[in-house]
Amino acid sequence: IVQHSNPEAVPEVISPVTGFPPRLAASRVVRIAVPTKNTMQSGVETQKAWAITWDTQDRWENSLMGWTSSADPVSNLKIEFATKEDAMAFCEKNGWAYQVYEAPAKHTVRRPYSANFAWSKKTRVNTK
């Protein structure tokens, strides 16, 4: 960790010193979004963090093993942040172009547990 006693000496864009390939930084766009919920889980705890991912580049199938191959070093990289603003600041500090994707707000209807056993024509579902 490099600490500067003079905060003005810290460069605003740090991409030249990070080792990230400059050709990738110039031509790629970072996607900032909330990761989708795992369909096998009912909780929403994982939907509170924001993540950045890169657009995928060319992939090919390895003819010997059948594996999917790529020459892209950041194709499987995902970085998570607590807030959208943290992710945007990280991208700006690294000099990356980014797009923010915000999911539409979900509208959930709260029903009492007894509504599962209601027997009226409005709530009854035919199972045949």
Side-chain angles (χ1 to χ4, degrees):
I1 297 176
V2 178
Q3 294 182 349
H4 294 280
S5 59
N6 182 6
E8 295 175 0
V10 178
E12 290 185 17
V13 177
I14 62 168
S15 59
V17 295
T18 60
F20 193 81
R23 64 178 177 79
L24 292 178
S27 63
R28 310 256 324 248
V29 177
V30 176
R31 180 179 193 266
I32 300 174
V34 175
T36 57
K37 185 178 76 135
N38 183 352
T39 57
M40 300 302 289
Q41 302 291 322
S42 62
V44 293
E45 187 65 30
T46 60
Q47 292 183 302
K48 293 182 180 177
W50 289 77
I52 63 172
T53 55
W54 282 261
D55 56 338
T56 56
Q57 296 291 316
D58 294 334
R59 293 179 185 254
W60 63 90
E61 185 174 326
N62 186 328
S63 59
L64 178 63
M65 297 297 289
W67 296 340
T68 302
S69 300
S70 173
D72 185 13
V74 295
S75 64
N76 296 322
L77 183 63
K78 181 172 90 171
I79 305 172
E80 292 187 351
F81 297 90
T83 63
K84 171 179 62 171
E85 290 77 19
D86 289 344
M88 290 172 23
F90 184 78
C91 291
E92 289 170 0
K93 190 168 186 176
N94 282 289
W96 300 334
Y98 62 88
Q99 291 179 343
V100 178
Y101 295 91
E102 298 205 25
K106 290 186 177 182
H107 177 69
T108 57
V109 178
R110 307 249 330 153
R111 298 185 323 160
Y113 180 69
S114 61
N116 293 334
F117 306 103
W119 192 257
S120 68
K121 288 184 179 182
K122 291 181 181 178
T123 59
R124 185 172 51 215
V125 177
N126 191 359
T127 58
K128 292 184 182 180

